[in-house]
Amino acid sequence: MSYVVWQVRQDPTRWKGWGFRTDNLRQAFIWPSVLFAGSGLAMAWYGIMAGRELWQSHTLLLLFLYPLWGILQQFLVQAMGVDNLIRKFPQHGLWLAIPIGVILFALVHAPDWWLTLATGLMACFFVPFYTRDRNLWPLGLYHGWLGTFFYLWVLGRDPWVSVFGS
C-alpha cells in the first residue's frame, strides 16, 4: 500500500497508467465480454448437468462484492507484475510477461487444482487483454463474476459460506 501511495504522489497520472481509466472503456470491454459470455454459458451448462443450484439468495451480493476482490487481484498481477516486467525488459517484456503473469495468477489460487487451472486459463486471455487496452475495470468485474459462477456452478462450493459461514 505504501508503494502505491508513494507512486501516485510522485505521478498522479499513475492510476491511469496502471489501468484505472475510463477513456477506452468501450474498447476494453469488447473481448472480455465475449470471453465472459462464452465462459458463463459453458459454466451454466456444466452446472445444470451437474445438478447445481444456479441461483441462490445471496448471488447478487456475491456479484457485487467479488469484483472488488477481482479488481484488487487484477491490479496486483497486471499492473504490479505484468506491467513492471514489460517496463524492465522492453525488448522481450511482453514475451516474459504473458507466461509469467499466467503462472503467477494461477499459483495465487493454489493448492486448489481446479481453481488453479481455471484461473491460469482465464489469465491466458486476461493478460493479453490488459497489455492491449491497459484497463483493469472489465478484467476486475469479469474476474469477480466468473469467479462467482465458477465456485457455484463448477466447483459446487459457495464462496459466501466459505468466507462468512452459513
Side-chain angles (χ1 to χ4, degrees), residues 18-37:
W18 279 330
F20 295 106
R21 56 192 287 195
T22 57
D23 61 315
N24 69 341
L25 209 48
R26 175 178 276 170
Q27 167 67 27
F29 259 99
I30 294 171
W31 285 110
S33 296
V34 171
L35 178 69
F36 171 74

Side-chain angles (χ1 to χ4, degrees), residues 37-105:
S39 301
L41 288 172
M43 288 188 287
W45 175 83
Y46 181 86
I48 291 167
M49 294 295 112
R52 309 270 196 248
E53 185 178 340
L54 293 187
W55 198 260
Q56 299 178 21
S57 60
H58 54 272
T59 302
L60 273 178
L61 192 54
L62 286 170
L63 293 174
F64 174 74
L65 293 175
Y66 203 157
L68 299 174
W69 182 239
I71 289 168
L72 176 63
Q73 286 187 26
Q74 290 298 317
F75 171 71
L76 292 172
V77 171
Q78 308 286 16
M80 296 290 108
V82 169
D83 193 47
N84 282 327
L85 281 170
I86 292 170
R87 288 174 196 265
K88 296 293 180 201
F89 304 100
Q91 298 228 328
H92 304 290
L94 186 58
W95 296 109
L96 288 171
I98 291 175
I100 291 173
V102 168
I103 291 166
L104 283 174
F105 203 73

